[in-house]
Amino acid sequence: QLQASGGGLVQAGGSLRLSCSASGRDISTYGVGWFRQTPGKEREFVAGIKWSTYYADSVKDRFAISRGNGGNTVYLRMDNLKPEDTAVYYCAAVRGGDVPSTVKGYDYWGQGTQVTVSS
């Protein structure tokens, strides 16, 4: 139901825009979060949006989350990428509440998109 796309290989300092699209569900009023995960590590919160936007300290001032397509697509614009941003990025959505920063807080997940930043 959620489709994450837009990942790829980019050099350090470059930019990417990830997209999270919903099919069969209107997520315009849902909380939507972006998480990322590297091998052997837990999935970590990156950014989220509902009525406000939220960011992990590690990406604040470099990443921007926004909505488009009538609110049913959520974008994550990533600028000034660093090698430590390399991960599989997942989007997730939750109907109630605000924007959880934990994996357990979400009901729906996309399949993940790989972001690789070379130094």
Side-chain angles (χ1 to χ4, degrees):
Q1 291 173 329
L2 294 180
Q3 178 85 20
S5 62
L9 172 64
V10 64
Q11 287 189 328
S15 299
L16 283 173
R17 189 180 76 161
L18 306 183
S19 299
C20 177
S21 302
S23 58
R25 186 176 299 275
D26 179 357
I27 63 168
S28 60
T29 60
Y30 285 34
V32 177
W34 282 97
F35 287 73
R36 65 188 181 188
Q37 188 170 25
T38 54
K41 292 193 175 180
E42 292 187 356
R43 202 167 289 189
E44 66 171 358
F45 176 81
V46 174
I49 187 169
K50 188 167 183 181
W51 314 122
S52 298
T53 57
Y54 306 88
Y55 298 94
D57 288 342
S58 59
V59 307
K60 203 173 279 190
D61 299 327
R62 298 189 298 121
F63 290 11
I65 190 170
S66 62
R67 289 189 189 266
N69 189 27
N72 228 36
T73 300
V74 173
Y75 301 103
L76 184 67
R77 171 74 182 189
M78 306 186 294
D79 294 320
N80 190 21
L81 282 160
K82 303 176 180 181
E84 51 264 42
D85 295 318
T86 295
V88 177
Y89 283 70
Y90 299 88
C91 64
V94 58
R95 184 159 59 180
D98 200 355
V99 178
S101 60
T102 60
V103 169
K104 287 184 183 178
Y106 290 84
D107 302 319
Y108 309 101
W109 287 85
Q111 83 289 4
T113 184
Q114 176 71 47
V115 171
T116 303
V117 184
S118 63
S119 56

